[in-house]
Amino acid sequence: MIPALYQPPAFQEFKTAVSFQQNQIQNEFDHLHENTIEYIEGLNKEREKVNLDIYYKFKFDELYSKVIKETLFSSSSDRFLENSNFKKITSFGYKIVPAILEEIRKKPSNIVWALNIITNQKISAKDTSIEEACQLWVNWGKKNKFN
Amino acid sequence: MTQNEIKEIIFQSFPGLKNDRNFKITSPEDPKYNCIAWAAIKNNVWLWPTNGNLDALIWPKSIPRNTEVLSFKLLFESYGYELCTEWKYEHHFQKVGFYVDKKNQITHGTRQTINGHWTSKLGSGWDIEHNNPFSIEGDEYGKVIFFMKRANISFDLNKIKHI
């Protein structure tokens, strides 16, 4: 009489092979799952960065237009530097630097002074013009991956 | 913005220009220089006394860093100007004028042109031509406080060329 639990060797091999394949599929699935999560997280981070860049650009444009309006006829650099909206711009620190660089690349101006304050450094030599100073800052931005 | 819209903005701060027959806008808005630089015939830097270490904001080391009348007088003396009492055009001379607020602090500088009119850079805004130094007096710049003059360099150069 054949025992109830007896299985032929070929069937055992078949079961082992199936189990191996199942494990392999599971591993591949897990790996795919991890990659997908990583990919989605990457996308979210990228989207978050884009959103933040847009946010700071928007904030900069809003504040800078107020600075211009409020100091338009003043020749005093102190009045410009002490303007409350100018101070708000510099209070964002390095996060707002790309927006400032974009602005001075398109239209060189004395808003370049915000970069002096944020980075606590002067980039130009003694007789440099506003236009030249802005160009030096744009180059600095490229070198330091701000653009 | 149209010229008329710009003029309306300017008139709000300088109502005296409404009656200035020679008032005209002579340049687009340009934040690369200020009025003192423009009076000193520079159009690529800001000239103002400051303690900050800022790009393209210049002020000679030898001159006090404040907005007192004396500091600006010293600055323009270093460019060859001397004090004068007459604001009207004098042949062969170039003139500049300075404005003070109620605290006697300098707010603005203007320069006479070869046609006897005056040219002002309005802050970071536009260059304008006006008939006389007084038509931009008011709340924004206060009153004219003194004038300076120097021999007109361009005239001398022409004279030398002619000879």
Side-chain angles (χ1 to χ4, degrees), chain A residues 8-18:
Chain A
F11 183 66
Q12 282 292 348
E13 276 169 27
F14 171 72
K15 265 182 75 177
T16 310
V18 167

Side-chain angles (χ1 to χ4, degrees), chain A residues 68 71-79 81 107-110 113 116 122-124 126 128-131 133 137, chain B residues 10 13-14 29 31-32 34-35 44-46 48-50 53-58 122-126 140-141:
Chain A
I68 292 172
T71 65
L72 183 61
F73 295 129
S74 172
S75 267
S76 163
S77 52
D78 292 338
R79 202 166 141 191
L81 299 169
K107 188 179 178 187
S109 75
N110 53 338
W113 297 334
N116 294 134
K122 185 176 168 179
I123 205 161
S124 61
K126 196 182 159 198
T128 310
S129 69
I130 286 273
E131 203 154 12
W137 276 109
Chain B
I10 294 173
S13 292
F14 306 98
E29 205 178 340
K32 294 197 290 289
N34 67 345
C35 68
N44 55 9
V45 291
W46 277 58
W48 197 259
T50 180
N53 198 19
L54 304 168
D55 287 308
L57 176 58
I58 59 170
L122 303 178
S124 54
W126 306 268
E140 190 70 40
Y141 292 154

Side-chain angles (χ1 to χ4, degrees), chain B residues 20-32:
Chain B
D20 186 322
R21 65 183 187 280
N22 290 315
F23 165 56
K24 61 180 175 189
I25 297 159
T26 52
S27 87
E29 205 178 340
D30 191 343
K32 294 197 290 289

Side-chain angles (χ1 to χ4, degrees), chain B residues 40-117:
Chain B
I41 322 179
K42 296 175 193 289
N43 64 356
N44 55 9
V45 291
W46 277 58
L47 198 47
W48 197 259
T50 180
N51 292 314
N53 198 19
L54 304 168
D55 287 308
L57 176 58
I58 59 170
W59 192 256
K61 277 184 181 165
S62 56
I63 294 171
R65 287 174 184 267
N66 59 48
T67 51
E68 300 287 337
V69 167
L70 178 65
S71 304
F72 285 78
K73 179 182 157 281
L74 288 172
L75 176 70
F76 276 76
E77 275 177 356
S78 75
Y79 297 144
Y81 287 86
E82 57 186 41
L83 282 176
C84 65
T85 51
E86 182 58 69
W87 66 270
K88 283 186 179 161
Y89 184 73
E90 284 179 69
H91 224 47
H92 308 164
F93 283 98
Q94 186 167 62
K95 293 186 177 181
V96 288
F98 296 88
Y99 299 70
V100 288
D101 60 17
K102 284 172 186 162
K103 292 177 185 166
N104 255 357
Q105 300 299 302
I106 295 286
T107 56
H108 182 66
T110 184
R111 170 166 50 87
Q112 196 170 36
T113 58
I114 198 95
N115 60 6
H117 300 161

